Each structure stands twice: as structure tokens, then as C-alpha cells.
Coordinates of all heavy atoms in Angstrom, one line a residue:
M1 N 0.5 -21.6 0.2 CA -0.8 -20.9 -0.2 C -0.6 -19.4 0.2 O -0.3 -19.1 1.3 CB -1.9 -21.5 0.6 CG -3.3 -21.0 0.3 SD -4.6 -21.9 1.1 CE -5.0 -23.1 -0.2
P2 N -0.8 -18.6 -0.8 CA -0.6 -17.1 -0.5 C -1.7 -16.6 0.5 O -2.8 -17.1 0.5 CB -0.8 -16.4 -1.9 CG -1.3 -17.4 -2.8 CD -1.1 -18.8 -2.2
K3 N -1.2 -15.7 1.3 CA -2.1 -15.0 2.2 C -2.3 -13.6 1.8 O -1.4 -12.9 1.4 CB -1.4 -15.0 3.6 CG -1.3 -16.4 4.3 CD -0.7 -16.3 5.6 CE -0.4 -17.6 6.3 NZ -1.4 -18.6 6.2
I4 N -3.6 -13.2 1.9 CA -4.0 -11.8 1.5 C -4.5 -11.2 2.8 O -5.3 -11.7 3.5 CB -5.1 -11.8 0.5 CG1 -4.7 -12.7 -0.8 CG2 -5.4 -10.4 0.0 CD1 -3.5 -12.1 -1.6
N5 N -4.0 -9.9 3.1 CA -4.4 -9.2 4.3 C -5.4 -8.1 3.8 O -5.1 -7.3 2.9 CB -3.2 -8.6 4.9 CG -2.1 -9.6 5.2 OD1 -2.4 -10.5 6.0 ND2 -1.0 -9.3 4.7
F6 N -6.6 -8.2 4.5 CA -7.6 -7.1 4.2 C -7.7 -6.3 5.5 O -7.8 -6.8 6.6 CB -9.0 -7.8 3.9 CG -9.0 -8.5 2.6 CD1 -8.7 -9.9 2.7 CD2 -9.4 -8.0 1.5 CE1 -8.7 -10.6 1.5 CE2 -9.4 -8.7 0.3 CZ -9.1 -10.0 0.3
L7 N -7.8 -5.0 5.2 CA -8.0 -4.1 6.4 C -9.4 -3.4 6.2 O -9.6 -2.7 5.2 CB -7.0 -2.9 6.4 CG -5.8 -3.0 7.3 CD1 -4.9 -1.8 7.1 CD2 -6.2 -3.1 8.7
V8 N -10.3 -3.7 7.1 CA -11.6 -3.1 6.9 C -11.9 -2.3 8.2 O -11.9 -2.9 9.3 CB -12.7 -4.2 6.8 CG1 -14.1 -3.7 6.6 CG2 -12.4 -5.1 5.7
S9 N -12.1 -1.1 8.1 CA -12.4 -0.2 9.3 C -11.3 -0.4 10.3 O -11.6 -0.4 11.5 CB -13.8 -0.4 9.9 OG -14.8 -0.3 8.9
G10 N -10.1 -0.5 9.9 CA -9.0 -0.6 10.8 C -8.7 -2.0 11.3 O -7.7 -2.2 12.0
T11 N -9.6 -2.9 11.0 CA -9.5 -4.3 11.5 C -8.8 -5.2 10.5 O -9.3 -5.3 9.4 CB -10.9 -4.9 11.9 OG1 -11.4 -4.0 12.9 CG2 -10.7 -6.3 12.5
P12 N -7.6 -5.8 10.8 CA -7.0 -6.7 9.8 C -7.6 -8.0 9.8 O -8.1 -8.5 10.8 CB -5.5 -6.7 10.3 CG -5.6 -6.5 11.8 CD -6.9 -5.6 12.0
E13 N -7.6 -8.6 8.6 CA -8.1 -10.0 8.5 C -7.2 -10.6 7.4 O -7.0 -10.1 6.3 CB -9.6 -10.0 8.0 CG -10.1 -11.4 7.9 CD -11.6 -11.4 7.5 OE1 -12.2 -10.4 7.4 OE2 -12.2 -12.5 7.4
T14 N -6.6 -11.7 7.8 CA -5.7 -12.5 6.9 C -6.4 -13.8 6.4 O -6.9 -14.5 7.2 CB -4.4 -12.8 7.6 OG1 -3.8 -11.6 8.0 CG2 -3.4 -13.6 6.7
I15 N -6.4 -13.9 5.1 CA -7.1 -15.1 4.5 C -6.1 -15.8 3.6 O -5.4 -15.2 2.7 CB -8.3 -14.5 3.6 CG1 -9.3 -13.8 4.6 CG2 -9.0 -15.7 2.9 CD1 -10.5 -13.1 3.9
D16 N -6.2 -17.1 3.7 CA -5.5 -18.0 2.7 C -6.2 -18.0 1.4 O -7.4 -18.2 1.4 CB -5.4 -19.4 3.3 CG -4.5 -19.6 4.5 OD1 -3.5 -18.8 4.6 OD2 -4.8 -20.3 5.4
A17 N -5.4 -17.8 0.3 CA -6.1 -17.6 -1.0 C -5.6 -18.7 -1.9 O -4.4 -19.1 -1.8 CB -5.7 -16.3 -1.6
D18 N -6.5 -19.2 -2.8 CA -6.1 -20.2 -3.8 C -5.4 -19.5 -5.0 O -6.0 -18.5 -5.5 CB -7.3 -20.9 -4.3 CG -7.9 -21.9 -3.2 OD1 -7.0 -22.5 -2.5 OD2 -9.1 -22.0 -3.2
P19 N -4.3 -19.9 -5.4 CA -3.7 -19.4 -6.5 C -4.6 -19.6 -7.7 O -5.3 -20.6 -7.9 CB -2.3 -20.2 -6.7 CG -2.1 -20.7 -5.4 CD -3.4 -20.9 -4.7
G20 N -4.6 -18.6 -8.6 CA -5.5 -18.7 -9.8 C -6.8 -17.8 -9.6 O -7.6 -17.7 -10.6
C21 N -7.1 -17.5 -8.4 CA -8.3 -16.7 -8.2 C -7.9 -15.2 -8.2 O -6.8 -14.9 -8.5 CB -9.1 -17.1 -6.9 SG -8.1 -16.8 -5.4
T22 N -8.9 -14.3 -7.8 CA -8.5 -12.9 -7.7 C -8.7 -12.4 -6.2 O -9.4 -13.2 -5.5 CB -9.4 -12.0 -8.6 OG1 -10.8 -12.2 -8.1 CG2 -9.4 -12.5 -10.0
V23 N -8.2 -11.3 -5.9 CA -8.3 -10.7 -4.6 C -9.8 -10.5 -4.3 O -10.3 -10.7 -3.2 CB -7.5 -9.5 -4.4 CG1 -7.8 -8.7 -3.1 CG2 -6.0 -9.8 -4.5
M24 N -10.6 -10.1 -5.4 CA -12.0 -9.9 -5.2 C -12.7 -11.2 -4.8 O -13.5 -11.2 -3.9 CB -12.6 -9.4 -6.5 CG -14.2 -9.2 -6.4 SD -15.0 -10.8 -6.7 CE -15.0 -10.9 -8.5
S25 N -12.4 -12.3 -5.4 CA -13.1 -13.6 -5.1 C -12.6 -14.1 -3.7 O -13.5 -14.7 -3.0 CB -12.8 -14.6 -6.3 OG -11.5 -14.9 -6.4
V26 N -11.4 -13.8 -3.3 CA -11.0 -14.2 -1.9 C -11.9 -13.4 -1.0 O -12.4 -14.0 0.0 CB -9.5 -13.8 -1.8 CG1 -9.1 -14.0 -0.3 CG2 -8.6 -14.7 -2.7
A27 N -12.1 -12.1 -1.2 CA -12.9 -11.3 -0.4 C -14.3 -11.8 -0.3 O -15.0 -11.9 0.8 CB -12.8 -9.9 -0.8
T28 N -15.0 -12.0 -1.5 CA -16.4 -12.4 -1.4 C -16.6 -13.7 -0.9 O -17.6 -14.0 -0.2 CB -17.0 -12.2 -2.9 OG1 -16.3 -13.0 -3.8 CG2 -17.0 -10.8 -3.4
L29 N -15.8 -14.7 -1.2 CA -15.9 -16.1 -0.7 C -15.7 -16.1 0.9 O -16.2 -17.0 1.5 CB -14.9 -17.0 -1.3 CG -15.1 -17.4 -2.7 CD1 -14.0 -18.2 -3.3 CD2 -16.4 -18.2 -2.8
N30 N -15.1 -15.1 1.4 CA -14.8 -15.0 2.9 C -15.6 -13.9 3.6 O -15.3 -13.5 4.7 CB -13.3 -14.9 3.1 CG -12.6 -16.2 2.7 OD1 -12.6 -17.2 3.5 ND2 -12.0 -16.2 1.5
N31 N -16.6 -13.3 2.8 CA -17.5 -12.3 3.4 C -16.7 -11.1 4.0 O -17.1 -10.6 5.0 CB -18.4 -12.9 4.5 CG -19.2 -14.1 3.9 OD1 -19.8 -13.9 2.9 ND2 -19.3 -15.1 4.6
V32 N -15.7 -10.7 3.2 CA -15.0 -9.4 3.7 C -16.0 -8.3 3.4 O -16.4 -8.1 2.3 CB -13.7 -9.2 2.9 CG1 -13.1 -7.9 3.2 CG2 -12.7 -10.4 3.2
S33 N -16.3 -7.5 4.4 CA -17.2 -6.4 4.3 C -16.7 -5.4 3.3 O -15.5 -5.0 3.3 CB -17.4 -5.8 5.7 OG -18.2 -4.7 5.7
G34 N -17.6 -4.9 2.5 CA -17.3 -3.8 1.7 C -16.9 -4.1 0.3 O -16.8 -3.2 -0.6
I35 N -16.7 -5.4 0.0 CA -16.4 -5.9 -1.4 C -17.6 -6.5 -1.9 O -17.9 -7.6 -1.6 CB -15.2 -6.8 -1.4 CG1 -14.0 -6.3 -0.7 CG2 -14.9 -7.3 -2.9 CD1 -13.3 -5.1 -1.4
V36 N -18.4 -5.7 -2.7 CA -19.7 -6.1 -3.1 C -19.6 -7.0 -4.4 O -20.2 -8.0 -4.6 CB -20.7 -4.9 -3.3 CG1 -22.0 -5.4 -3.9 CG2 -20.8 -4.2 -2.0
A37 N -18.7 -6.4 -5.3 CA -18.5 -7.1 -6.6 C -19.7 -7.4 -7.4 O -19.9 -8.5 -7.8 CB -17.6 -8.4 -6.4
E38 N -20.5 -6.4 -7.6 CA -21.8 -6.6 -8.3 C -21.6 -7.2 -9.8 O -22.5 -7.9 -10.1 CB -22.4 -5.2 -8.5 CG -23.2 -4.7 -7.3 CD -23.7 -3.3 -7.4 OE1 -23.6 -2.7 -8.5 OE2 -24.2 -2.8 -6.4
C39 N -20.6 -6.9 -10.4 CA -20.5 -7.4 -11.8 C -19.8 -8.8 -11.8 O -19.5 -9.3 -12.9 CB -19.8 -6.4 -12.7 SG -18.0 -6.3 -12.5
G40 N -19.4 -9.3 -10.7 CA -18.8 -10.6 -10.7 C -17.3 -10.7 -11.2 O -16.9 -11.8 -11.6
G41 N -16.7 -9.6 -11.3 CA -15.3 -9.6 -11.8 C -15.2 -9.2 -13.3 O -14.1 -9.3 -13.8
G42 N -16.2 -8.6 -13.8 CA -16.2 -8.2 -15.2 C -15.6 -6.9 -15.5 O -15.7 -6.4 -16.6
C43 N -15.1 -6.2 -14.5 CA -14.4 -4.9 -14.6 C -15.4 -3.9 -15.2 O -15.2 -3.1 -16.1 CB -13.2 -5.0 -15.5 SG -12.1 -3.6 -15.4
S44 N -16.6 -3.9 -14.6 CA -17.6 -2.9 -15.0 C -18.4 -2.3 -13.9 O -19.3 -1.5 -14.2 CB -18.6 -3.6 -16.0 OG -19.3 -4.6 -15.4
C45 N -18.1 -2.6 -12.6 CA -18.9 -2.0 -11.5 C -18.1 -1.1 -10.6 O -18.7 -0.3 -9.9 CB -19.7 -3.0 -10.8 SG -18.6 -4.1 -9.7
A46 N -17.0 -1.5 -10.4 CA -16.0 -0.8 -9.4 C -16.4 -1.0 -7.9 O -16.0 -0.3 -7.1 CB -15.9 0.7 -9.7
T47 N -17.3 -1.9 -7.7 CA -17.7 -2.1 -6.3 C -16.8 -3.1 -5.5 O -17.1 -3.7 -4.5 CB -19.1 -2.7 -6.1 OG1 -19.2 -3.9 -6.9 CG2 -20.1 -1.6 -6.7
C48 N -15.6 -3.3 -6.1 CA -14.6 -4.1 -5.6 C -13.3 -3.3 -5.3 O -12.2 -3.8 -5.2 CB -14.2 -5.3 -6.4 SG -13.5 -4.8 -8.0
H49 N -13.5 -1.9 -5.2 CA -12.4 -1.0 -5.1 C -11.6 -1.2 -3.8 O -12.2 -1.4 -2.7 CB -13.0 0.4 -5.1 CG -12.0 1.5 -4.9 ND1 -12.4 2.6 -4.3 CD2 -10.7 1.6 -5.2 CE1 -11.4 3.5 -4.3 NE2 -10.3 2.8 -4.8
V50 N -10.3 -1.2 -3.9 CA -9.4 -1.3 -2.7 C -8.3 -0.4 -2.9 O -8.0 0.0 -4.0 CB -8.9 -2.7 -2.5 CG1 -10.0 -3.7 -2.0 CG2 -8.1 -3.2 -3.6
Y51 N -7.6 0.0 -1.8 CA -6.4 0.6 -1.8 C -5.3 -0.4 -1.5 O -5.4 -1.2 -0.6 CB -6.3 1.7 -0.7 CG -7.4 2.8 -0.8 CD1 -8.2 3.0 0.3 CD2 -7.6 3.5 -2.0 CE1 -9.2 4.0 0.2 CE2 -8.5 4.4 -2.1 CZ -9.4 4.7 -1.0 OH -10.4 5.6 -1.0
V52 N -4.3 -0.4 -2.4 CA -3.2 -1.4 -2.2 C -2.1 -0.8 -1.4 O -1.6 0.4 -1.7 CB -2.6 -1.8 -3.6 CG1 -1.5 -2.7 -3.4 CG2 -3.8 -2.5 -4.4
N53 N -1.6 -1.5 -0.4 CA -0.5 -1.1 0.4 C 0.6 -0.6 -0.5 O 0.9 -1.3 -1.5 CB -0.1 -2.2 1.3 CG 1.1 -1.9 2.2 OD1 2.2 -1.6 1.6 ND2 0.9 -2.0 3.5
Q54 N 1.2 0.6 -0.3 CA 2.1 1.2 -1.2 C 3.3 0.2 -1.5 O 3.7 0.2 -2.6 CB 2.7 2.5 -0.7 CG 3.3 3.4 -1.7 CD 2.3 3.7 -2.9 OE1 1.2 4.2 -2.6 NE2 2.7 3.5 -4.1
E55 N 3.7 -0.5 -0.5 CA 4.9 -1.4 -0.7 C 4.6 -2.4 -1.7 O 5.5 -2.9 -2.5 CB 5.2 -2.0 0.6 CG 5.5 -3.5 0.6 CD 5.6 -4.0 2.1 OE1 5.3 -3.4 3.0 OE2 6.1 -5.2 2.1
W56 N 3.3 -2.8 -2.0 CA 2.9 -3.8 -2.9 C 2.5 -3.2 -4.3 O 2.5 -3.9 -5.3 CB 1.7 -4.6 -2.4 CG 2.2 -5.6 -1.4 CD1 2.2 -5.6 -0.1 CD2 2.7 -6.9 -1.8 NE1 2.7 -6.7 0.4 CE2 3.0 -7.6 -0.6 CE3 2.9 -7.5 -3.0 CZ2 3.6 -8.9 -0.6 CZ3 3.4 -8.9 -3.0 CH2 3.8 -9.5 -1.8
F57 N 2.0 -1.9 -4.3 CA 1.4 -1.4 -5.5 C 2.3 -1.5 -6.7 O 1.8 -1.9 -7.7 CB 1.1 0.1 -5.2 CG 0.3 0.7 -6.3 CD1 -1.1 0.5 -6.3 CD2 0.8 1.5 -7.3 CE1 -1.9 1.1 -7.3 CE2 0.1 2.0 -8.3 CZ -1.3 1.8 -8.3
D58 N 3.5 -1.2 -6.6 CA 4.4 -1.3 -7.8 C 4.8 -2.7 -8.2 O 5.3 -3.0 -9.3 CB 5.7 -0.4 -7.5 CG 5.4 1.0 -7.4 OD1 4.4 1.5 -8.0 OD2 6.2 1.7 -6.7
K59 N 4.6 -3.6 -7.3 CA 4.9 -5.1 -7.6 C 3.8 -5.8 -8.4 O 4.0 -6.8 -9.0 CB 5.1 -5.8 -6.4 CG 6.3 -5.3 -5.5 CD 6.4 -6.3 -4.2 CE 7.4 -5.8 -3.3 NZ 7.5 -6.5 -2.1
L60 N 2.7 -5.1 -8.4 CA 1.5 -5.8 -9.1 C 1.6 -5.5 -10.6 O 2.2 -4.5 -11.1 CB 0.2 -5.3 -8.6 CG -0.1 -5.5 -7.1 CD1 -1.4 -4.9 -6.7 CD2 -0.1 -7.1 -6.9
E61 N 0.9 -6.4 -11.4 CA 0.8 -6.1 -12.8 C 0.0 -4.7 -12.9 O -0.9 -4.5 -12.2 CB -0.1 -7.1 -13.5 CG 0.6 -8.4 -13.7 CD 1.7 -8.4 -14.7 OE1 1.5 -7.8 -15.7 OE2 2.8 -8.9 -14.4
P62 N 0.4 -3.9 -13.8 CA -0.3 -2.6 -13.9 C -1.8 -2.7 -14.3 O -2.1 -3.7 -14.9 CB 0.5 -1.8 -15.0 CG 1.5 -2.7 -15.6 CD 1.5 -4.0 -14.8
A63 N -2.6 -1.7 -13.9 CA -4.0 -1.7 -14.3 C -4.1 -1.6 -15.8 O -3.4 -0.9 -16.4 CB -4.7 -0.6 -13.6
S64 N -5.2 -2.3 -16.3 CA -5.5 -2.2 -17.7 C -6.2 -0.8 -18.0 O -6.7 -0.1 -17.1 CB -6.4 -3.3 -18.1 OG -7.7 -3.1 -17.5
P65 N -6.3 -0.4 -19.3 CA -7.0 0.8 -19.6 C -8.4 0.8 -19.1 O -9.0 1.7 -18.7 CB -6.9 0.9 -21.1 CG -5.7 0.1 -21.5 CD -5.5 -1.0 -20.4
E66 N -9.1 -0.4 -19.2 CA -10.5 -0.5 -18.8 C -10.6 -0.3 -17.3 O -11.5 0.4 -16.8 CB -11.0 -2.0 -19.1 CG -11.2 -2.2 -20.6 CD -9.8 -2.6 -21.2 OE1 -8.8 -2.9 -20.5 OE2 -9.8 -2.6 -22.4
E67 N -9.6 -0.8 -16.5 CA -9.7 -0.6 -15.1 C -9.4 0.8 -14.7 O -10.1 1.4 -13.9 CB -8.6 -1.5 -14.4 CG -8.6 -1.4 -12.9 CD -7.6 -2.2 -12.2 OE1 -6.9 -3.1 -12.8 OE2 -7.3 -2.1 -11.0
L68 N -8.5 1.4 -15.4 CA -8.2 2.9 -15.1 C -9.4 3.7 -15.5 O -9.6 4.7 -14.7 CB -6.9 3.3 -15.9 CG -5.7 2.7 -15.5 CD1 -4.5 3.1 -16.4 CD2 -5.3 3.1 -14.1
N69 N -10.1 3.4 -16.5 CA -11.3 4.1 -16.9 C -12.4 4.1 -15.8 O -13.0 5.1 -15.5 CB -11.9 3.6 -18.2 CG -11.1 4.1 -19.4 OD1 -10.4 5.0 -19.3 ND2 -11.4 3.4 -20.5
L70 N -12.5 2.9 -15.2 CA -13.6 2.8 -14.1 C -13.1 3.6 -12.9 O -13.9 4.3 -12.2 CB -13.7 1.3 -13.7 CG -14.8 0.5 -14.4 CD1 -14.9 -0.9 -13.9 CD2 -16.1 1.2 -14.2
L71 N -11.8 3.4 -12.5 CA -11.3 4.1 -11.3 C -11.5 5.6 -11.4 O -11.7 6.2 -10.4 CB -9.8 3.7 -11.1 CG -9.6 2.3 -10.7 CD1 -8.1 2.0 -10.8 CD2 -10.1 2.1 -9.3
E72 N -11.3 6.1 -12.6 CA -11.5 7.5 -12.8 C -12.7 8.1 -12.3 O -12.8 9.3 -11.9 CB -11.4 7.8 -14.4 CG -10.9 9.1 -14.8 CD -10.8 9.1 -16.3 OE1 -10.0 8.3 -16.9 OE2 -11.6 9.8 -17.0
F73 N -13.8 7.3 -12.3 CA -15.1 7.9 -11.9 C -15.4 7.7 -10.4 O -16.5 8.1 -10.0 CB -16.2 7.2 -12.8 CG -16.1 7.6 -14.3 CD1 -15.6 6.8 -15.2 CD2 -16.6 8.9 -14.6 CE1 -15.5 7.2 -16.5 CE2 -16.5 9.3 -15.9 CZ -15.9 8.4 -16.9
L74 N -14.5 7.1 -9.7 CA -14.8 6.9 -8.3 C -14.4 8.2 -7.5 O -13.5 8.9 -7.8 CB -13.9 5.8 -7.7 CG -14.3 4.4 -8.2 CD1 -13.3 3.4 -7.6 CD2 -15.7 4.0 -7.8
E75 N -15.3 8.5 -6.5 CA -15.1 9.7 -5.7 C -13.9 9.6 -4.9 O -13.2 10.6 -4.7 CB -16.3 9.9 -4.8 CG -17.4 10.7 -5.5 CD -18.6 10.9 -4.5 OE1 -18.3 10.9 -3.3 OE2 -19.7 11.1 -4.9
N76 N -13.6 8.5 -4.3 CA -12.7 8.3 -3.3 C -11.3 7.6 -3.9 O -10.6 7.0 -3.1 CB -13.2 7.5 -2.1 CG -13.9 6.2 -2.6 OD1 -14.0 6.0 -3.8 ND2 -14.4 5.5 -1.6
V77 N -11.1 7.8 -5.1 CA -9.9 7.2 -5.8 C -8.7 7.9 -5.2 O -8.6 9.0 -4.9 CB -10.1 7.3 -7.3 CG1 -9.9 8.8 -7.8 CG2 -9.0 6.4 -8.0
K78 N -7.6 7.1 -5.1 CA -6.3 7.5 -4.7 C -5.3 6.9 -5.6 O -5.6 6.0 -6.4 CB -6.0 7.0 -3.3 CG -6.9 7.5 -2.2 CD -6.4 7.0 -0.8 CE -7.3 7.6 0.3 NZ -6.8 7.0 1.6
P79 N -4.0 7.4 -5.6 CA -3.0 6.9 -6.5 C -2.8 5.4 -6.4 O -2.4 4.7 -7.3 CB -1.8 7.7 -6.1 CG -2.3 8.9 -5.5 CD -3.6 8.6 -4.8
N80 N -3.1 4.8 -5.2 CA -2.9 3.4 -5.0 C -4.3 2.6 -5.1 O -4.3 1.5 -4.6 CB -2.3 3.1 -3.6 CG -3.0 3.6 -2.4 OD1 -3.9 4.5 -2.5 ND2 -2.8 2.9 -1.3
S81 N -5.2 3.2 -5.7 CA -6.5 2.5 -5.9 C -6.4 1.4 -7.0 O -5.7 1.6 -8.0 CB -7.6 3.4 -6.4 OG -8.0 4.3 -5.4
R82 N -7.0 0.3 -6.7 CA -7.1 -0.8 -7.7 C -8.5 -1.5 -7.6 O -9.2 -1.3 -6.5 CB -6.1 -1.9 -7.5 CG -4.6 -1.5 -7.8 CD -4.4 -1.2 -9.3 NE -4.8 -2.3 -10.2 CZ -4.0 -3.2 -10.6 NH1 -2.7 -3.2 -10.3 NH2 -4.4 -4.1 -11.5
L83 N -8.9 -2.1 -8.6 CA -10.1 -3.0 -8.5 C -9.7 -4.4 -8.2 O -8.8 -5.0 -8.9 CB -10.9 -3.0 -9.9 CG -11.4 -1.6 -10.3 CD1 -12.1 -1.7 -11.6 CD2 -12.3 -1.0 -9.3
S84 N -10.1 -4.9 -7.1 CA -9.6 -6.2 -6.6 C -9.9 -7.3 -7.5 O -9.2 -8.4 -7.5 CB -10.1 -6.4 -5.2 OG -11.5 -6.5 -5.1
C85 N -10.9 -7.2 -8.4 CA -11.2 -8.3 -9.3 C -10.1 -8.3 -10.5 O -10.1 -9.3 -11.2 CB -12.6 -8.2 -9.9 SG -12.8 -6.8 -11.1
Q86 N -9.3 -7.3 -10.5 CA -8.2 -7.3 -11.5 C -6.9 -7.7 -11.0 O -5.9 -7.6 -11.6 CB -8.2 -6.0 -12.2 CG -9.5 -5.5 -12.8 CD -10.0 -6.5 -13.9 OE1 -9.3 -6.8 -14.8 NE2 -11.2 -7.1 -13.7
I87 N -6.8 -8.1 -9.7 CA -5.5 -8.5 -9.1 C -5.6 -10.0 -9.0 O -6.3 -10.6 -8.2 CB -5.4 -7.8 -7.7 CG1 -5.5 -6.3 -7.8 CG2 -4.0 -8.2 -7.1 CD1 -5.5 -5.6 -6.4
A88 N -4.7 -10.6 -9.8 CA -4.6 -12.1 -9.7 C -3.9 -12.6 -8.6 O -2.9 -11.9 -8.1 CB -4.0 -12.6 -11.0
V89 N -4.3 -13.6 -8.0 CA -3.5 -14.3 -6.9 C -2.6 -15.3 -7.4 O -3.0 -16.2 -8.1 CB -4.6 -14.8 -5.8 CG1 -3.8 -15.7 -4.8 CG2 -5.4 -13.7 -5.2
D90 N -1.4 -15.2 -7.0 CA -0.4 -16.3 -7.1 C 0.6 -16.2 -6.0 O 0.5 -15.3 -5.1 CB 0.3 -16.2 -8.6 CG 1.0 -15.0 -8.8 OD1 1.4 -14.2 -7.9 OD2 1.2 -14.6 -10.0
D91 N 1.6 -17.0 -6.0 CA 2.5 -17.0 -4.9 C 3.3 -15.7 -4.8 O 3.8 -15.3 -3.7 CB 3.6 -18.1 -5.1 CG 2.9 -19.5 -4.8 OD1 1.9 -19.5 -4.0 OD2 3.4 -20.5 -5.4
D92 N 3.4 -14.9 -5.9 CA 4.1 -13.7 -5.9 C 3.4 -12.6 -5.0 O 3.9 -11.6 -4.6 CB 4.2 -13.1 -7.3 CG 5.3 -13.9 -8.1 OD1 6.1 -14.6 -7.4 OD2 5.3 -13.7 -9.3
V93 N 2.1 -12.8 -4.8 CA 1.3 -11.8 -3.9 C 1.2 -12.2 -2.5 O 0.3 -11.7 -1.8 CB 0.0 -11.4 -4.6 CG1 0.2 -10.8 -6.0 CG2 -0.9 -12.5 -4.7
D94 N 1.9 -13.3 -2.1 CA 1.8 -13.7 -0.7 C 2.1 -12.6 0.2 O 3.2 -12.0 0.2 CB 2.8 -14.9 -0.5 CG 2.7 -15.4 0.9 OD1 1.6 -15.3 1.5 OD2 3.7 -16.0 1.4
G95 N 1.1 -12.2 1.1 CA 1.4 -11.1 2.0 C 0.8 -9.7 1.5 O 0.9 -8.8 2.3
L96 N 0.2 -9.7 0.4 CA -0.4 -8.5 -0.1 C -1.4 -7.9 0.9 O -2.1 -8.7 1.4 CB -1.1 -8.8 -1.4 CG -2.0 -7.7 -2.0 CD1 -1.1 -6.6 -2.5 CD2 -2.9 -8.3 -3.1
T97 N -1.3 -6.7 1.1 CA -2.3 -6.0 2.0 C -3.1 -4.9 1.2 O -2.5 -4.1 0.5 CB -1.6 -5.3 3.2 OG1 -0.8 -6.3 3.9 CG2 -2.5 -4.6 4.1
V98 N -4.4 -5.0 1.3 CA -5.3 -4.1 0.7 C -6.2 -3.6 1.8 O -6.6 -4.2 2.7 CB -6.1 -4.7 -0.4 CG1 -5.2 -5.2 -1.5 CG2 -7.0 -5.8 0.0
T99 N -6.7 -2.3 1.6 CA -7.6 -1.6 2.5 C -8.8 -1.4 1.8 O -8.9 -0.9 0.7 CB -7.0 -0.3 3.0 OG1 -5.8 -0.6 3.7 CG2 -7.9 0.4 3.9
V100 N -10.0 -1.7 2.4 CA -11.3 -1.4 1.8 C -11.6 0.0 2.2 O -11.5 0.4 3.4 CB -12.4 -2.4 2.5 CG1 -13.7 -2.0 1.9 CG2 -12.0 -3.9 2.1
P101 N -11.9 0.8 1.2 CA -12.2 2.2 1.5 C -13.4 2.4 2.5 O -14.3 1.6 2.5 CB -12.8 2.7 0.1 CG -12.1 1.9 -0.9 CD -12.1 0.5 -0.3
P102 N -13.2 3.3 3.4 CA -14.2 3.5 4.5 C -15.6 3.6 4.1 O -16.5 3.2 4.7 CB -13.7 4.8 5.2 CG -12.2 4.9 4.8 CD -12.1 4.3 3.5
T103 N -15.8 4.2 2.9 CA -17.1 4.4 2.4 C -17.8 3.1 2.0 O -19.0 3.0 1.8 CB -17.2 5.3 1.2 OG1 -16.2 4.9 0.2 CG2 -16.9 6.7 1.6
Q104 N -17.0 2.0 1.9 CA -17.5 0.7 1.5 C -17.6 -0.3 2.7 O -18.4 -1.1 2.7 CB -16.6 0.0 0.4 CG -16.6 0.7 -0.9 CD -15.5 0.2 -1.8 OE1 -14.9 1.0 -2.6 NE2 -15.1 -1.1 -1.7
G105 N -16.7 -0.1 3.6 CA -16.5 -1.1 4.7 C -17.6 -1.1 5.7 O -18.4 -0.3 5.8
Ligands
FES1 S1 -16.3 -6.9 -9.4 FE1 -17.1 -5.4 -10.8 S2 -15.4 -4.2 -11.3 FE2 -14.5 -5.6 -10.0

């Protein structure tokens, strides 16, 4: 079972994730602070924004044009920003580390 690491306000939390879900659903099902996910994963709210640990960023499937369009409007966007609802969980992401932006956490 892949493990996803969340960093919220400097505090790490490691959660076992079911393959086939998304990083956003792992966060919301486990009450990770700062991942609101208002649109439920529809790639239309950006309230699931995270920073992906640089070591992992290039290993993930690239962001879709829709995701990039949403990220563009965030104040605190960084080069390693992603929407966690667009990151699929499978065995390849075991150990993935994401940081919840301080303005959300
Ligand atoms: S949950 Fe709305 S964009 Fe990710």
C-alpha cells in the first residue's frame, strides 16, 4: 500500500493510501488540514493546492492544461505546485511528499 507524506505547518503526517484514489482524497478522508477540495476533484476550485517535493515533481504525470490554467491564478503558486486531486495514487508514488501551503494549513 503506497504511503503519502503530508507536511502541514512543518508537521509531517504519513498516510497509507489506496491505489486508484487521488492525493486529494487521501487528504480529505484523513482530515489533513488545509485540503478543502471544494469541487470534489473536478479540477475547478484549486483548494487542494500542494507543493510537491522536488525529488518527486518530475516523476509525476505532468499537469493537464486545465490544471495549469487553475494554478496560474493562485497567489502562492510555485514551480512545484500541483492540484492534489490531479495526482493519482498507485504504487509508483509510494513515499510521495507534498506540502500544504502555509496559507491553507
Ligand atoms: S478539489 Fe477542486 S481543484 Fe482539486
